[in-house]
């Protein structure tokens, strides 16, 4: 499941051809008032940066963390996601513990997305047409990953409306499985078993892990 989500994240962020209308110019401002446009634009920006920084990436894979932090994370509501992941244990933590957990979880997401980008190949990403979201608080942006000879992978980005009417993404649902829900189950169990401090340490340790390309044989087997 972890490998599946990693590949889905990679394909969504840097699909070689984004099948949509109105491609975004390199220096245009992201439309954070429209969740559909925001997700398409951020995907395009991330891919453009991936291409322009290819030499830096080849010299040092940790540069992928820089790309994720600068191009993607400003549009991810990682604090909301972190609180959801903590679940029932949120009320048992101090303000300091919550703040440190959110920081650790953000770093963990950056490392997770950066590692996922090493698995990028050459697929196409098709975005469904936008829908009216004027009265919505949460929007699902439907996407299909297209690869010749394989059935399409159907996914959804979930975005939520903030108090200032801007939008941020907070979850990825791949073939009916929520990344946020799976992490909530995993991490809340660890909090119950080991305590919040141990989980914060674990997330920080995972953040510091080296970014490596997945060996070809392992990738093929997965």
């Amino acid at each position: 499941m972890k490998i599946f989500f990693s590949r889905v994240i990679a394909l969504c962020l840097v699909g070689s051809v984004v099948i949509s209308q109105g491609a975004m110019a390199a220096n245009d401002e992201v439309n954070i008032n429209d969740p559909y446009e925001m997700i398409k634009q951020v995907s395009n920006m991330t891919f453009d940066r991936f291409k322009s920084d290819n030499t830096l990436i080849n010299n040092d894979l940790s540069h992928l963390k820089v790309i994720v932090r600068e191009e993607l994370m400003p549009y991810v509501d990682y604090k909301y996601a972190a609180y959801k992941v903590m679940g029932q244990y949120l009320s048992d933590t101090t303000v300091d513990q919550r703040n440190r957990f959110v920081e650790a979880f953000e770093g963990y997401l950056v490392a997770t997305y950066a590692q996922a980008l090493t698995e990028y190949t050459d697929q196409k990403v098709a975005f469904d047409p936008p829908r009216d979201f004027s009265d919505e608080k949460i929007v699902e942006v439907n996407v299909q990953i297209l690869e010749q000879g394989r059935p399409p992978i159907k996914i959804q980005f979930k975005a939520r409306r903030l108090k200032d009417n801007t939008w941020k993404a907070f979850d990825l649902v791949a073939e009916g499985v929520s990344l946020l829900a799976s992490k909530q189950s995993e991490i809340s169990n660890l909090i119950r078993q080991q305590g919040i401090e141990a989980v914060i340490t674990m997330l920080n340790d995972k953040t510091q892990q080296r970014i490596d390309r997945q060996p070809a044989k392992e990738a093929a087997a997965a």
Side-chain angles (χ1 to χ4, degrees):
M1 181 61 70
K2 289 182 180 179
I3 293 174
F4 174 68
F5 269 122
S6 292
R7 287 183 173 174
V8 169
I9 292 167
L11 300 180
C12 289
L13 294 183
V14 290
S16 62
V17 178
V18 178
I19 306 175
S20 59
Q21 296 181 347
M24 180 183 181
N27 296 320
D28 285 351
E29 185 176 348
V30 173
N31 185 1
I32 57 176
N33 295 305
D34 183 330
Y36 295 95
E37 280 300 312
M38 179 188 72
I39 288 174
K40 284 195 297 184
Q41 290 172 343
V42 171
S43 298
N44 289 336
M45 286 169 49
T46 304
F47 176 56
D48 289 344
R49 182 73 180 274
F50 188 89
K51 289 192 298 184
S52 66
D53 289 9
N54 187 57
T55 300
L56 292 173
I57 294 168
N58 289 333
N59 290 335
D60 182 6
L61 285 176
S62 66
H63 184 70
L64 289 169
K65 291 184 180 180
V66 177
I67 295 175
V68 169
R69 190 172 291 280
E70 293 181 355
E71 305 295 345
L72 176 63
M73 294 309 291
Y75 309 100
V76 175
D77 195 348
Y78 58 84
K79 181 177 180 180
Y80 177 80
Y83 280 7
K84 294 286 285 185
V85 162
M86 293 178 74
Q88 62 180 322
Y89 301 105
L90 176 64
S91 60
D92 296 331
T93 60
T94 66
V95 173
D96 176 66
Q97 287 174 328
R98 288 195 290 274
N99 290 339
R100 287 187 291 113
F101 182 88
V102 168
E103 182 179 359
F105 189 72
E106 180 201 14
Y108 170 71
L109 287 179
V110 169
T112 299
Y113 294 154
Q115 182 62 53
L117 289 176
T118 67
E119 300 179 23
Y120 163 67
T121 53
D122 190 24
Q123 291 78 6
K124 297 179 180 180
V125 180
F127 291 85
D128 283 1
R131 299 180 179 181
D132 179 23
F133 58 90
S134 55
D135 295 325
E136 303 295 334
K137 294 183 178 179
I138 292 179
V139 164
E140 298 171 346
V141 181
N142 294 311
V143 180
Q144 292 190 69
I145 299 169
L146 309 175
E147 186 172 5
Q148 189 172 5
R150 294 185 178 184
I153 298 175
K154 297 180 181 180
I155 68 167
Q156 291 177 335
F157 285 103
K158 286 191 174 183
R160 62 188 292 262
R161 188 193 297 270
L162 306 183
K163 292 181 178 179
D164 61 359
N165 281 325
T166 62
W167 292 79
K168 282 191 174 184
F170 69 92
D171 193 15
L172 172 69
V173 180
E175 297 294 342
V177 180
S178 163
L179 177 61
L180 184 59
S182 66
K183 290 301 176 185
Q184 180 180 21
S185 176
E186 175 187 346
I187 292 178
S188 62
N189 282 338
L190 288 172
I191 295 174
R192 176 177 56 82
Q193 296 168 2
Q194 303 177 21
I196 186 66
E197 294 295 342
V199 173
I200 291 172
T201 298
M202 178 205 69
L203 292 174
N204 284 328
D205 289 344
K206 288 183 177 293
T207 298
Q208 299 303 319
Q209 287 180 355
R210 181 177 176 177
I211 305 298
D212 290 311
R213 294 194 187 277
Q214 189 177 18
K217 289 184 179 180
E218 182 181 344

